Amino acid sequence: MRRRFQRSRRDDRSEAPKNVKTQILINYTSREVRIAILEERELVELLIEREDSRHTVGDIFLGRVTAVIPGIQAAFVDIGQEKAAFLHVSDVSTGSIDPELLDEEDVDPHRGRKEKELPPIENLLKKGQDILVQVRKEAIGTKGPRISSEISLPGRYAVLMPGFDHIGVSKKIEDRRERSRLKAIVKKYRPQGSAIIVRTAGIGVDDDALRDDIKYLEKTAQEIKEKRERATPPALIHEDVDLTIFAIRDLFSESVESIIIDTKDEYERLRTYFKSFAPQLAARVRLYEEKTPIFDFYDIEGDIEKILESKIWLKKGGYIVIEHTEALVTIDVNTGRFVGKKDQEETILETNMIAAREIARQLRLRDIGGIIVIDFIDMEAEENRRKVYNEFRNLLRKDRSRVRVYPMSDLGIIEVSRKRVRPSLLHYYSEECPYCTGRGKVLSLESMAMKIEHWIRRIGGGKRRENGILFKLNPVIGVFIREERAENLQELADMYRVRVEIIDDPRLHREEFEIYSLDGERNLKAAFE
């Protein structure tokens, strides 16, 4: 059985061939779904969805306008969430497609609406007005979700936008004959009064597959219309797909070698989904059946553990430091222990090139968005500054988010803007730290509980049999687990036939914990690390 899966040990990564394809790993539990995307055996993206914090991007609501603010050309809309949603005038539908709305449509950007051409917000919306909106960006920090009244419904091969008149093809499909072929198919099946944009995944699909996808989207649009007519705001009208199906619909492409999932029910669900939309690809979905937790098997649990660390060591001894502020993210590059070659300029260039690769990876892995300022080590030669800039820009082409990179300054600074759709993993994993009154971050109670559960799976699925596990925890964590997660721990204990006990230790920091064999003789945490 073990030969079905190729272990991607950290020591092998540097030897990975250039043509290694992407893998998607899905770790599924009753309370959390984690999706890891590996490129050349290295973790580059991590998506997480928990039972009590489902992503809302793509969801459609019937909302009610609570305030119209002409001074900022925006309105606030009650969609039934804790914070009112923000609707800018540029996101109010006027019957023409905003070229910034979709990454994959072919509208000429020069035909987009300019700020000075936008009508006053008070001419479009009134307080108390009911409006159908779609979430474009999650609530982040003190800001509520950002919404749009320009509705888009993504399918496997196409995107449908009700209320528009347009046929588009992804810019990433460059072959003119293929673009013409796809447009001809869409022209036959496009619903009246709707725009259709063919996604990159649509390249090479036949007439029937694209037709079925469009028909499915048309049916969904009709259901939304009927539900809206019966609803009273604020109301959820349409819920986008869950994270697992999202991985198939939006992440799966020809470059994906396999999707490996560790839960049989979800495996069967994905196979059924594939058989409906892309039966020829169903064989790429594989069930993981090893005892070792899937993320440990593929050697990426350690990378996930380091996501909150600000200091990241690079190969050859350099390091980068990532710091979050309210307005932007700063990244500093340092040579550290790297002494390099005799020529100082060559040493600095090599450090900057290595750093550029790691920074591009960390932006995706941590899902860092907004304005990012990167301070590379100063270089004397203009040619070297250009090398680092070009390398960094090329690496960011793999990023699914919209990224703009500005040329390096004489001081070695590169400015980046990266589209932010949801909070970064730093904000998702953490909450305000009670020890420092908000000046720093600490793992949330939920995240600490999940850590303990992951350790039980890790030890229970290990090669050495343990009869009992003793956790020493900060009392705050201990109380939370006993009151909120006792049932989960008992299920895990029964699953691995191991006894689990928890002891409070007030000397431990909230993020610290110790793990011993039940007789107290073996330090199990040290044994695994």
Side-chain angles (χ1 to χ4, degrees):
M1 183 64 195
R2 184 172 294 273
R3 65 179 179 271
R4 290 179 57 200
F5 299 96
Q6 181 180 1
R7 186 183 295 273
S8 56
R9 301 303 301 174
R10 188 181 309 277
D11 294 340
D12 296 336
R13 288 178 180 172
S14 60
E15 300 174 6
K18 295 290 185 181
N19 61 348
V20 170
K21 292 188 177 182
T22 303
Q23 283 183 310
I24 298 176
L25 310 179
I26 305 178
N27 171 224
Y28 195 94
T29 69
S30 59
R31 297 183 63 87
E32 180 183 65
V33 181
R34 297 188 299 171
I35 296 179
I37 302 172
L38 276 60
E39 291 178 359
E40 297 187 359
R41 305 178 190 173
E42 185 173 59
L43 179 65
V44 295
E45 286 190 57
L46 178 67
L47 305 174
I48 300 174
E49 185 170 84
R50 289 177 179 160
E51 184 181 48
D52 57 352
S53 57
R54 201 189 137 277
H55 294 305
T56 61
V57 170
D59 288 356
I60 298 173
F61 294 84
L62 180 61
R64 179 162 289 164
V65 178
T66 57
V68 177
I69 316 296
I72 58 172
Q73 278 283 70
F76 289 93
V77 181
D78 178 14
I79 60 172
Q81 296 192 3
E82 182 180 351
K83 298 171 184 174
F86 179 82
L87 177 62
H88 189 260
V89 67
S90 60
D91 293 317
V92 179
S93 178
T94 57
S96 61
I97 294 180
D98 178 358
E100 295 299 320
L101 182 62
L102 290 173
D103 290 332
E104 299 204 349
E105 44 82 13
D106 67 348
V107 177
D108 182 350
H110 298 293
R111 289 162 51 194
R113 293 168 292 167
K114 298 180 181 178
E115 187 71 30
K116 63 182 180 180
E117 297 173 353
L118 296 171
I121 186 75
E122 61 269 27
N123 291 354
L124 301 176
L125 299 173
K126 303 296 180 185
K127 183 177 179 180
Q129 177 181 339
D130 295 348
I131 183 171
L132 193 70
V133 294
Q134 186 171 35
V135 177
R136 297 286 184 217
K137 186 184 295 185
E138 301 276 0
I140 300 175
T142 59
K143 299 177 181 178
R146 180 154 182 168
I147 57 176
S148 173
S149 66
E150 296 176 326
I151 308 299
S152 62
L153 303 174
R156 177 76 183 103
Y157 304 118
V159 176
L160 182 146
M161 298 181 66
F164 295 97
D165 183 16
H166 179 71
I167 294 176
V169 177
S170 166
K171 294 178 182 178
K172 295 180 182 179
I173 301 177
E174 298 178 351
D175 185 88
R176 290 187 177 183
R177 290 185 179 180
E178 178 64 5
R179 294 176 67 86
S180 298
R181 185 186 74 86
L182 292 170
K183 284 187 176 183
I185 297 173
V186 171
K187 191 174 182 180
K188 289 192 292 184
Y189 303 115
R190 179 171 69 98
Q192 187 175 2
S194 293
I196 295 290
I197 298 94
V198 181
R199 309 183 73 181
T200 306
I203 188 169
V205 299
D206 58 26
D207 189 299
D208 291 344
L210 192 51
R211 177 201 62 200
D212 291 346
D213 202 37
I214 293 172
K215 292 296 182 184
Y216 165 77
L217 295 175
E218 183 181 11
K219 180 182 177 183
T220 302
Q222 183 60 33
E223 290 172 352
I224 290 171
K225 181 180 178 182
E226 292 172 359
K227 193 171 181 179
R228 173 187 176 166
E229 292 172 352
R230 301 191 303 266
T232 301
L236 175 64
I237 301 298
H238 173 74
E239 196 171 58
D240 199 16
V241 297
D242 61 37
L243 192 61
T244 307
I245 298 301
F246 168 83
I248 306 303
R249 188 191 70 189
D250 287 28
L251 304 182
F252 194 87
S253 65
E254 287 299 322
S255 67
V256 176
E257 184 181 56
S258 59
I259 296 177
I260 304 172
I261 186 166
D262 62 1
T263 304
K264 189 171 183 179
D265 289 346
E266 288 299 297
Y267 165 76
E268 296 294 348
R269 185 164 74 103
L270 289 189
R271 293 270 300 183
T272 300
Y273 181 88
F274 264 116
K275 288 175 181 177
S276 299
F277 290 93
Q280 73 279 11
L281 302 177
R284 298 193 193 183
V285 182
R286 299 160 60 191
L287 176 63
Y288 178 83
E289 297 178 288
E290 303 288 339
K291 290 183 178 180
T292 304
I294 186 170
F295 282 10
D296 276 319
F297 189 90
Y298 285 91
D299 198 28
I300 59 175
E301 198 71 68
D303 288 337
I304 296 172
E305 291 282 333
K306 296 176 182 177
I307 279 179
L308 296 187
E309 294 181 7
S310 60
K311 190 173 185 178
I312 301 160
W313 287 98
L314 308 171
K315 295 176 181 177
K316 299 191 176 181
Y319 67 91
I320 61 175
V321 178
I322 302 176
E323 296 289 350
H324 292 254
T325 70
E326 187 170 350
L328 49 81
V329 175
T330 62
I331 302 177
D332 187 37
V333 181
N334 297 276
T335 53
R337 297 189 295 260
F338 181 41
V339 293
K341 304 174 183 178
K342 293 182 180 179
D343 188 326
Q344 184 180 11
E345 181 78 358
E346 285 298 312
T347 299
I348 292 173
L349 172 62
E350 188 171 359
T351 302
N352 282 338
M353 293 291 276
I354 295 172
R357 299 182 193 109
E358 184 61 28
I359 291 169
R361 172 177 173 254
Q362 289 294 329
L363 293 182
R364 297 173 64 190
L365 178 57
R366 301 182 183 218
D367 201 9
I368 297 172
I371 300 172
I372 302 141
V373 177
I374 306 165
D375 184 10
F376 287 95
I377 305 169
D378 291 348
M379 293 172 287
E380 296 288 340
E382 171 64 28
E383 180 183 358
N384 290 339
R385 290 197 290 269
R386 188 164 53 250
K387 283 181 181 178
V388 174
Y389 168 73
N390 289 335
E391 172 74 3
F392 186 55
R393 186 181 60 178
N394 289 335
L395 288 163
L396 288 176
R397 287 177 178 170
K398 299 178 182 178
D399 201 324
R400 291 186 300 109
S401 293
R402 186 183 300 121
V403 182
R404 291 180 180 176
V405 185
Y406 297 89
M408 181 180 287
S409 71
D410 292 341
L411 297 176
I413 291 175
I414 288 181
E415 298 174 33
V416 178
S417 67
R418 185 173 185 270
K419 185 178 180 182
R420 179 162 49 188
V421 174
R422 57 182 61 90
S424 68
L425 287 184
L426 173 70
H427 292 89
Y428 191 78
Y429 263 118
S430 61
E431 60 187 22
E432 292 299 332
C433 175
Y435 295 98
C436 59
T437 63
R439 291 193 300 266
K441 293 286 182 180
V442 64
L443 284 176
S444 65
L445 296 173
E446 181 75 11
S447 294
M448 285 300 298
M450 294 301 301
K451 254 192 169 184
I452 299 303
E453 293 179 16
H454 290 320
W455 269 102
I456 295 174
R457 293 187 182 93
R458 198 171 187 179
I459 295 170
K463 295 180 180 179
R464 175 164 177 166
R465 173 69 182 167
E466 296 292 340
N467 295 321
I469 307 172
L470 175 67
F471 287 94
K472 289 186 177 181
L473 309 172
N474 178 282
V476 174
I477 306 300
V479 169
F480 177 80
I481 289 177
R482 291 190 194 94
E483 293 183 353
E484 302 292 335
R485 305 300 286 276
E487 185 176 344
N488 293 67
L489 258 63
Q490 188 58 52
E491 288 178 359
L492 287 172
D494 293 341
M495 179 188 302
Y496 291 105
R497 298 180 182 178
V498 63
R499 186 178 170 187
V500 178
E501 289 189 8
I502 293 175
I503 295 179
D504 292 344
D505 188 342
R507 296 171 300 175
L508 294 174
H509 185 278
R510 205 177 105 161
E511 290 186 347
E512 295 176 343
F513 55 90
E514 298 174 359
I515 314 173
Y516 299 94
S517 58
L518 205 54
D519 59 14
E521 293 182 0
R522 292 185 65 238
N523 186 327
L524 300 182
K525 192 174 182 182
F528 275 78
E529 293 178 341

